[in-house]
């Protein structure tokens, strides 16, 4: 079974530029998550999708971050404009169904450096 | 609100010795507890979870964890450490009263010395 795919793996941009990350979850997984992991910290949830609908985006900085999952499969996370404090690893995860019992499967992440 | 603490930033253990990585949590309802491991340049991998039932949970790669409700702890253990266990370990909690979202601890770096 293929895992969660993410691209690019690394990205370096100047502040105020825009950037986009792509995620393809495990086939058949209805729930998709984007996390931000700042160096030395645990991952923090940014947004959760159930199929193509947003379940929770309460921690997404909506003035600069946006995400979509138009066909209920792959997803894109965008930052525009980027700030220095956005430097982090962005992790995508998926689970077969939502629910507190179910573990999530994580992709390798995209490491973003904002200069 | 739910929270997770991992009181040790770094744990060093000699190969072959038992290891423990500590985790304490705070939730308002029933906790659902998870351990994940992260190797360099890779995403998090699921190790084990506690939902209900037996307080001792067994997981992948010989790891186990003990749920202690009175101490609000969920420590990760392994009887005999391997050098390949060296990685970053994250404890996470979900609280049914607060939906499905994980709250992760800050992580503990485990170094197993040959």
């Amino acid at each position: 079974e293929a895992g969660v795919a993410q691209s690019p793996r690394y990205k370096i941009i100047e502040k105020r530029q825009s950037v986009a990350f792509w995620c393809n979850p495990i086939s058949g997984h209805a729930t998709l998550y984007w996390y931000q992991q700042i160096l030395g910290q645990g991952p923090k949830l940014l947004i959760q999708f159930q199929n193509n609908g947003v379940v929770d985006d309460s921690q997404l900085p909506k003035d600069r971050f946006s995400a979509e999952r138009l066909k209920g499969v792959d997803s894109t996370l965008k930052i525009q404009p980027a700030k220095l404090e956005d430097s982090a690893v962005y992790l995508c995860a998926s689970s077969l169904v939502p629910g507190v019992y179910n573990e999530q499967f994580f992709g390798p992440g995209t490491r973003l450096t904002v200069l | 609100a739910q929270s997770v603490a991992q009181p040790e930033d770094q744990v060093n253990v000699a190969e072959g010795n038992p290891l423990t990585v500590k985790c304490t949590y705070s939730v308002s309802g029933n906790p659902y507890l998870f351990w994940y491991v992260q190797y360099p340049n890779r995403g998090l991998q699921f190790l084990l979870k506690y939902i209900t039932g037996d307080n001792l949970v067994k997981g992948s790669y010989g790891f186990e964890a003990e749920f202690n409700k009175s101490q609000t702890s969920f420590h990760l253990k392994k009887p005999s450490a391997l050098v390949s266990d060296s990685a970053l370990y994250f404890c996470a909690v979900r609280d049914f009263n607060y939906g499905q979202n994980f709250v992760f601890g800050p992580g503990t770096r485990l170094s197993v010395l040959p």
Side-chain angles (χ1 to χ4, degrees):
Chain A
E1 177 183 79
V4 176
Q6 290 188 247
S7 67
R9 292 295 310 276
Y10 305 91
K11 190 73 176 179
I12 301 174
I13 62 172
E14 301 279 338
K15 61 183 178 183
R16 291 187 290 272
Q17 287 186 323
S18 62
V19 65
F21 313 127
W22 175 82
C23 171
N24 192 27
I26 293 173
S27 178
H29 280 199
T31 311
L32 185 147
Y33 311 80
W34 282 102
Y35 288 86
Q36 180 191 59
Q37 185 180 16
I38 293 173
L39 186 65
Q41 299 180 18
K44 183 186 81 172
L45 180 71
L46 292 175
I47 189 167
Q48 176 186 345
F49 291 94
Q50 178 65 22
N51 296 311
N52 61 351
V54 175
V55 174
D56 184 350
D57 63 356
S58 58
Q59 298 190 90
L60 187 74
K62 298 181 185 63
D63 57 334
R64 297 184 301 107
F65 286 65
S66 64
E68 60 184 14
R69 192 185 185 199
L70 293 176
K71 297 182 179 179
V73 180
D74 55 351
S75 175
T76 302
L77 176 69
K78 296 180 181 178
I79 308 175
Q80 182 178 8
K83 293 185 175 181
L84 296 177
E85 58 261 36
D86 298 332
S87 294
V89 175
Y90 291 85
L91 296 166
C92 180
S94 69
S95 62
L96 184 60
V97 291
V100 292
Y101 309 131
N102 298 319
E103 62 268 30
Q104 298 173 8
F105 297 86
F106 284 80
T110 296
R111 182 176 298 277
L112 173 66
T113 302
V114 182
L115 303 176
Chain B
Q2 50 196 337
S3 65
V4 176
Q6 294 181 244
E8 300 159 317
D9 293 335
Q10 173 93 31
V11 171
N12 297 320
V13 63
E15 187 175 28
N17 283 2
L19 69 87
T20 299
V21 182
K22 295 179 180 178
C23 171
T24 60
Y25 64 90
S26 175
V27 298
S28 60
N30 291 324
Y32 302 96
L33 296 154
F34 298 74
W35 275 101
Y36 283 82
V37 60
Q38 187 174 36
Y39 297 100
N41 298 316
R42 297 181 63 179
L44 280 69
Q45 296 179 34
F46 170 74
L47 280 179
L48 51 79
K49 64 182 177 182
Y50 172 81
I51 303 300
T52 187
D54 194 347
N55 289 343
L56 185 63
V57 179
K58 295 188 181 297
S60 305
Y61 313 121
F63 284 94
E64 58 189 27
E66 186 168 11
F67 171 65
N68 187 316
K69 187 172 184 177
S70 62
Q71 297 187 4
T72 61
S73 67
F74 189 55
H75 301 331
L76 182 70
K77 300 181 180 183
K78 188 173 183 181
S80 179
L82 301 172
V83 172
S84 57
D85 293 330
S86 298
L88 193 55
Y89 290 80
F90 291 97
C91 182
V93 67
R94 274 171 164 165
D95 180 347
F96 188 80
N97 292 340
Y98 283 89
Q100 307 162 22
N101 299 330
F102 278 123
V103 172
F104 283 88
T108 298
R109 185 164 300 280
L110 173 68
S111 292
V112 181
L113 308 174

